[in-house]
Structures are given as structure tokens and as C-alpha cells.
């Protein structure tokens, strides 16, 4: 089950199946995609209910799949919706992130862990691997060496090692505070930064788009910029 609420300019999206450690079924993936794609708030805070962030795919569902490729594509679409959303997605990870839970987090713009967070891609131990975009995003974020070590071994990373490898960008007691911090920025600047950093075109095309976006923001915020000159 995916719950949403809007709170002080932030959309809060909660994966809410604590009895199953927030494991995701096809209907949850669809609901997650919609919850993020439809967000009007400039920042979305993604979290898990209970003691885990997300255990990944519900293995009872996986064991009974008639069409595993479609299930993989559903997870990829959910991750793509997070990565491509207009809203900036801050993922707060408290407790276990496993398998697809790691991959959903990888799609977020910021991954913020608590000291209790742990991460693993355990699928290799029973004949699977992360197919919700994991083999695409892991090496981009962690680097190829750390990504291969993480995925091939199935070992568990604690919050400090996740920080060292770049899997998360901060370790804090309350990740929601980081979402609040990000939300204090100008919404159009937040959107522009996300678009530019997510741009996968060649360098020249990215730089031209960057210059255009910068000029648009200067025009929009001329008074704000002038007001800061004396500070």
C-alpha cells in the first residue's frame, strides 16, 4: 500500500506494508509511480513505514509470476517515474533497504540514511539480481568497482559504508529534515537543477541547456538577486 499526504509544501509518500517489511507488489509499483508523478509539491519525501525502508519485491509474488519480464518492467517504470518527476525526490532510509528497495532509492535525487539503515542486493544468493534499473544506476552512483562488489557479493552495507561508496549522501537522525532543507529553495531553481543533472545528452547539448536555464532564472528572480547584493 502506498500512502500520500501533503505537508508544509512537501509531498510525503509512504510505502506502508510494515508486516511485509514494505515489500512491493505490482499494484504498489503502479501506485508509487502515480504518487510521485502527480506530485504538485516541489519536493517529495519518500519513506517506509515501520522498521524497514523496503524489502524490495514481494517474493511470494515473484515465485508465482507468469510473466517475470513484465514485473521487471513495472519496477523499472516506477523507478523511471521517480528519476524523471518534476518534483525533487528525497528518499529517507531508516532500517533495511533490500533488492528492489535499494533500486527504488537509487532512482531518487537524494538518498538520506539514518544510522540504523542497511543496504543489500541479496538476489544473487537465490539466483536473481536487481532488475528495476539496478544494473544501470548502481555503477553510475557507486562506481563500477563498488557496484560489482555490492551486487555480486550480496553483502550488507551499513550506513557508514553506504556513505563512503556514495550510495547515500548523508547519514542523519531525521532524513525528513533534509527534505525540509531542500524545500526552502526556489521551486523553479530546484526543478532546473534536477533537469540539468539528470540530462544524459552530450556535453555540448547539456551546456547549452544549462545556459538557457540560468538565463531564465536570472530573469525570473532579478529582484531576489539584487536584494542579496548588499548582504
Amino acid at each position: 500500500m502506498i500512502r500520500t499526504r501533503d505537508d508544509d509544501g512537501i509531498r510525503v509518500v509512504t510505502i506502508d506494508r510494515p508486516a511485509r517489511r514494505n515489500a512491493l507488489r505490482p499494484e504498489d509499483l503502479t501506485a508509487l509511480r502515480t504518487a510521485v508523478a502527480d506530485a504538485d509539491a516541489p519536493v517529495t519525501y519518500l519513506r517506509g513505514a515501520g522498521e524497514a525502508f523496503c524489502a524490495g519485491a514481494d517474493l511470494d509474488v515473484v515465485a508465482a509470476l507468469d510473466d517475470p519480464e513484465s514485473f521487471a518492467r513495472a519496477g523499472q517504470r516506477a523507478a523511471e517515474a521517480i528519476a524523471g518527476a518534476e518534483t525533487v525526490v528525497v528518499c529517507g532510509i531508516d532500517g533495511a533497504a533490500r533488492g528492489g528497495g535499494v533500486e527504488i532509492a537509487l532512482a531518487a535525487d537524494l538518498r538520506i540514511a539514518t544510522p540504523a539503515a542497511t543496504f543489500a542486493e541479496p538476489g544473487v544468493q537465490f539466483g536473481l539480481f536487481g532488475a528495476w534499473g539496478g544494473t544501470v544506476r548502481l555503477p553510475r552512483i557507486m562506481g563500477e568497482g563498488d557496484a560489482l562488489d555490492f551486487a555480486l557479493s550480496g553483502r550488507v552495507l551499513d550506513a557508514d559504508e553506504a556513505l563512503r561508496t556514495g550510495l547515500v549522501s548523508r547519514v542523519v537522525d531525521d532524513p525528513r529534515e533534509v527534505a525540509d532543507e531542500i524545500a526552502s529553495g526556489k521551486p523553479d531553481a530546484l526543478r532546473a537543477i534536477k533537469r540539468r543533472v539528470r540530462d544524459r545528452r552530450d556535453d555540448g547539448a547539456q551546456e547549452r541547456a544549462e545556459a538557457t536555464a540560468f538565463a531564465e532564472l536570472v530573469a525570473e528572480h532579478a529582484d531576489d538577486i539584487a536584494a542579496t547584493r548588499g548582504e
Side-chain angles (χ1 to χ4, degrees):
M1 177 180 180
I2 305 298
R3 291 191 292 106
T4 65
R5 63 185 174 89
D6 293 316
D7 180 24
D8 291 335
I10 293 176
R11 166 152 289 192
V12 179
V13 177
T14 302
I15 307 171
D16 191 9
R17 293 187 74 208
R20 296 287 294 173
R21 300 174 74 230
N22 301 320
L24 295 166
R25 303 160 294 182
E27 59 266 36
D28 302 315
L29 292 169
T30 299
L32 179 59
R33 185 173 77 240
T34 300
V36 175
D38 290 351
D40 291 329
V43 174
T44 292
Y45 179 56
L46 175 61
R47 61 181 295 275
E51 297 181 353
F53 169 67
C54 176
D58 188 317
L59 293 181
D60 289 345
V61 172
V62 173
L65 285 173
D66 293 324
D67 189 351
E69 186 171 347
S70 291
F71 185 56
R73 288 294 297 147
Q76 291 168 357
R77 285 192 293 272
E80 289 162 4
I82 292 168
E86 287 291 299
T87 183
V88 173
V89 181
V90 178
C91 185
I93 304 151
D94 186 26
R98 298 289 184 269
V102 172
E103 293 163 287
I104 291 297
L106 285 171
D109 302 301
L110 289 175
R111 287 164 298 284
I112 310 299
T114 72
T118 61
F119 304 81
E121 285 276 14
V124 68
Q125 297 168 352
F126 47 88
L128 293 177
F129 68 95
W132 291 353
T135 59
V136 176
R137 293 188 177 90
L138 266 178
R140 287 179 185 166
I141 290 167
M142 299 177 74
E144 187 174 286
D146 281 329
L148 283 168
D149 179 33
F150 180 57
L152 292 172
S153 69
R155 69 191 183 94
V156 176
L157 304 186
D158 63 17
D160 288 339
E161 191 161 12
L163 182 64
R164 179 193 67 78
T165 60
L167 185 55
V168 302
S169 57
R170 301 193 210 181
V171 178
V172 300
D173 291 331
D174 184 0
R176 169 60 196 265
E177 292 181 355
V178 177
D180 292 335
E181 174 189 332
I182 300 301
S184 68
K186 296 288 187 183
D188 53 354
L190 297 177
R191 289 191 298 270
I193 292 167
K194 175 169 180 170
R195 289 193 196 109
R196 300 282 54 80
V197 173
R198 293 284 193 182
D199 194 338
R200 299 298 179 197
R201 294 177 297 172
D202 64 85
D203 289 354
Q206 289 186 52
E207 288 174 351
R208 288 190 293 274
E210 180 184 70
T212 298
F214 178 76
E216 290 171 350
L217 291 171
V218 168
E220 178 66 24
H221 298 292
D223 291 343
D224 297 321
I225 295 165
T228 65
R229 293 176 63 192
E231 294 182 1

